[in-house]
Amino acid sequence: MNRENIKTVILMLLVCGSVFFTYNLWTFKPNYDFIDSSQYLENEPISNVKHEPEDVIRPFQMMVHDKAEHYGTYRPERIDFVWNQLKNWNIGEVKNVSGKYTADELDEWLTGKSESRKIEFLFSDKVPFELFQSIFQYKSQKTIYSSFDRIVLPSGKNGSFQKILFISMEQRLVYEASISNENAKGIIASVIEKRENLDRFVPEVISEDNRLLLPEERIALDEIEYIINSVNGEAFKRALFTNPDYVRREMKPTQNVYTDGTSLLTIYPSQERLRFVNPTIDPSMFIERGKAMKQSIEFLNDHGGWTDEYHFYSMNPDSQLVSFRLMIDSIPVFENNSKTFGPTEIAMRWGDNEIATYSRPLYRLNSGYSPSSVDMLSSKEIVSQLKQKKSIEPDKVKRVFPAYEMSATAEPRIVAIKPYWYAETTGGQYVKLHTETLGGNSDGLE
């Protein structure tokens, strides 16, 4: 075979190969197997802790009223005994009985010299009835749109069902229902009979139009020091963004910023706090109170945001800000303004079904120890301080309650927790009362 014949054969092979590959290219049908998009949309929760409403909506105080005598406690182990019983009792349909009480009669019934005996649970803010409905054994489908900040269990009469009352002191609303459990009256009567195991409270006149029940004698609370652990900002990036792999990070001198082009996560390491914002969501859109609280609990469940003990604390009706506050033994914790370590509150705002803003601490409480205890002020001492305060009007004091204040210390990872009485005003202001009765600056304002 000469050279020309070889060239001809090679050319024919190349042409045939070209035709074969072209045919396969034109007739190729790729196998488009379904790709599960969830593998690209996985976030990683901070913790595995999940809570139901009953875990984070809890009374901060229990009172026992025996005619003109009043006893109370802030200690969770004493509150929980009755509260846990109540959650298992069958509650009948509620009805509005507000017309039975004038404003003065309701005050007198709860804090004055009423002839009745009763147990009272107090909450830090109004709780929608629909959430109480999910906590208690309440089977009625009747919708109640009101919110309540107190639950009262009057001592039951022989031959009648035990009553339960849901009360809003601000709106002067009273709703009543019956408890069908046979042992309810006996348990309530037993707690009232053992009232002297609680602290004695006395009515104190704060101003001409304001009277509060306050502990007659000094009560003791522990001072505590905690070692703190911080949660890495990358963990929140993986928990909060739907697709963390596509999140860009920008390092700044005092903050780390993460964004996916829509939402913005800002970490402030030195302040132990973060802020998550979705600017495409309108937070001014009205959202019903119960819905906002439910969505907030679910949101924290979804990304494992329960890093410590947090309870529902308040919802601002104007800004629609839902707040969960850090608790130590069910006592709320506030931050010291001059020796701030970090925030003590988780706060969320919603635009319908989407989170608009979310701010919270970056730290976790680790091991703690109590070097000493503090004797809190008695009722007379509390009243004296309230009347001396220039930053508060006595007739605007809504309640006085014990709280812890968290302060930074000389050790970088240790915080000091000290108890104080705090006064809350009707305008939502918190004023710290000093433990000492004499001397010092008395205008510690939160």
Side-chain angles (χ1 to χ4, degrees):
M1 183 180 292
N2 57 33
R3 183 179 298 176
E4 291 301 324
N5 291 336
I6 294 174
K7 288 181 179 181
T8 301
V9 172
I10 293 173
L11 181 60
M12 289 178 64
L13 291 173
L14 291 174
V15 171
C16 291
S18 177
V19 170
F20 173 78
F21 286 117
T22 301
Y23 173 80
N24 277 276
L25 182 62
W26 287 348
T27 59
F28 176 66
K29 294 182 180 180
N31 182 20
Y32 290 109
D33 289 333
F34 175 73
I35 300 174
D36 184 0
S37 62
S38 64
Q39 65 181 302
Y40 298 105
L41 302 176
E42 290 181 353
N43 49 10
E44 301 176 21
I46 301 295
S47 74
N48 294 322
V49 177
K50 294 184 184 293
H51 285 317
E52 298 297 326
E54 66 182 76
D55 301 318
V56 295
I57 299 174
R58 302 176 59 81
F60 74 89
Q61 184 183 13
M62 182 180 75
M63 296 292 298
V64 172
H65 307 283
D66 184 11
K67 300 181 180 179
E69 296 183 344
H70 310 278
Y71 301 84
T73 184
Y74 301 98
R75 298 188 179 278
E77 64 272 15
R78 294 186 173 178
I79 296 173
D80 286 350
F81 171 74
V82 187
W83 183 247
N84 290 336
Q85 295 286 336
L86 174 56
K87 289 191 297 185
N88 294 316
W89 291 339
N90 296 309
I91 298 175
E93 191 167 295
V94 298
K95 58 181 178 179
N96 190 342
V97 296
S98 305
K100 291 183 179 180
Y101 306 89
T102 66
D104 290 340
E105 287 172 344
L106 187 59
D107 288 334
E108 185 67 23
W109 188 64
L110 288 174
T111 64
K113 299 179 180 180
S114 167
E115 289 300 309
S116 62
R117 309 171 81 199
K118 63 191 79 75
I119 297 173
E120 178 187 16
F121 294 104
L122 295 88
F123 297 82
S124 58
D125 199 1
K126 297 187 297 294
V127 177
F129 185 78
E130 62 182 285
L131 286 174
F132 282 134
Q133 186 172 349
S134 70
I135 293 172
F136 301 141
Q137 303 298 315
Y138 180 80
K139 304 304 182 184
S140 172
Q141 299 302 312
K142 183 178 180 180
T143 302
I144 305 295
Y145 293 104
S146 299
S147 298
F148 306 95
D149 57 9
R150 303 190 186 203
I151 292 177
V152 176
L153 300 168
S155 181
K157 298 178 181 180
N158 292 332
S160 63
F161 283 119
Q162 171 64 47
K163 299 295 185 182
I164 179 171
L165 282 76
F166 299 87
I167 299 174
S168 168
M169 292 302 290
E170 180 182 347
Q171 297 173 293
R172 300 292 167 172
L173 285 178
V174 182
Y175 277 70
E176 181 184 271
S178 295
I179 296 173
S180 59
N181 296 64
E182 294 181 0
N183 63 344
K185 283 191 291 187
I187 291 173
I188 291 170
S190 174
V191 172
I192 294 174
E193 289 298 326
K194 296 176 182 177
R195 61 195 177 282
E196 293 185 357
N197 294 330
L198 309 177
D199 299 309
R200 184 179 177 87
F201 279 62
V202 292
E204 293 285 359
V205 177
I206 309 301
S207 69
E208 184 178 351
D209 299 320
N210 195 5
R211 179 179 63 184
L212 298 175
L213 287 177
L214 300 171
E216 184 177 34
E217 304 294 336
R218 290 188 166 203
I219 61 175
L221 288 176
D222 289 337
E223 268 190 277
I224 313 169
E225 290 189 352
Y226 275 98
I227 298 173
I228 295 294
N229 289 338
S230 292
V231 182
N232 190 285
E234 287 288 324
F236 278 102
K237 182 199 81 170
R238 294 191 297 270
L240 293 173
F241 286 99
T242 304
N243 194 343
D245 290 339
Y246 286 87
V247 173
R248 300 190 306 276
R249 177 183 178 184
E250 180 181 355
M251 301 287 290
K252 295 184 177 181
T254 60
Q255 58 191 249
N256 299 329
V257 180
Y258 301 85
T259 182
D260 62 356
T262 301
S263 300
L264 189 71
L265 170 64
T266 307
I267 304 290
Y268 303 89
S270 63
Q271 301 175 30
E272 289 288 345
R273 69 182 179 94
L274 70 79
R275 181 174 173 80
F276 182 73
V277 179
N278 186 342
T280 65
I281 303 301
D282 180 10
S284 65
M285 179 185 296
F286 174 78
I287 182 169
E288 189 270 330
R289 189 182 190 91
K291 181 179 180 181
M293 290 172 60
K294 285 181 180 178
Q295 287 183 174
S296 298
I297 295 171
E298 291 169 1
F299 177 73
L300 289 167
N301 282 340
D302 288 343
H303 73 271
W306 304 107
T307 50
D308 277 307
E309 181 187 0
Y310 287 89
H311 292 173
F312 167 72
Y313 198 73
S314 65
M315 179 174 175
N316 187 305
D318 298 322
S319 66
Q320 301 189 93
L321 196 71
V322 181
S323 165
F324 294 83
R325 187 163 289 278
L326 176 65
M327 298 281 169
I328 296 176
D329 291 333
S330 294
I331 292 177
V333 182
F334 290 82
E335 55 191 281
N336 182 301
N337 283 341
S338 59
K339 297 180 181 179
T340 302
F341 175 81
T344 58
E345 179 184 49
I346 296 174
M348 284 161 279
R349 294 177 71 190
W350 292 86
D352 195 22
N353 295 319
E354 297 291 334
I355 191 76
T357 65
Y358 170 50
S359 60
R360 61 161 298 134
L362 271 176
Y363 59 83
R364 282 189 175 108
L365 299 181
N366 197 343
S367 55
Y369 70 99
S370 176
S372 61
S373 65
V374 174
D375 287 331
M376 308 288 281
L377 302 178
S378 66
S379 61
K380 299 296 183 186
E381 293 166 335
I382 291 171
V383 173
S384 176
Q385 282 212 23
L386 285 174
K387 291 182 176 179
Q388 294 174 19
K389 286 282 183 183
K390 297 178 181 179
S391 57
I392 190 172
E393 298 178 47
D395 61 338
K396 297 291 180 64
V397 177
K398 180 180 176 181
R399 64 179 177 126
V400 175
F401 61 97
Y404 283 115
E405 184 184 67
M406 176 185 287
S407 303
T409 67
E411 299 293 330
R413 307 309 300 169
I414 295 179
V415 295
I417 306 289
K418 187 174 181 179
Y420 293 91
W421 288 110
Y422 271 69
E424 180 186 2
T425 71
T426 53
Q429 180 188 26
Y430 294 99
V431 180
K432 181 180 70 178
L433 307 183
H434 274 247
T435 306
E436 300 78 15
T437 57
L438 297 174
N441 175 17
S442 62
D443 284 329
L445 180 66
E446 288 293 338

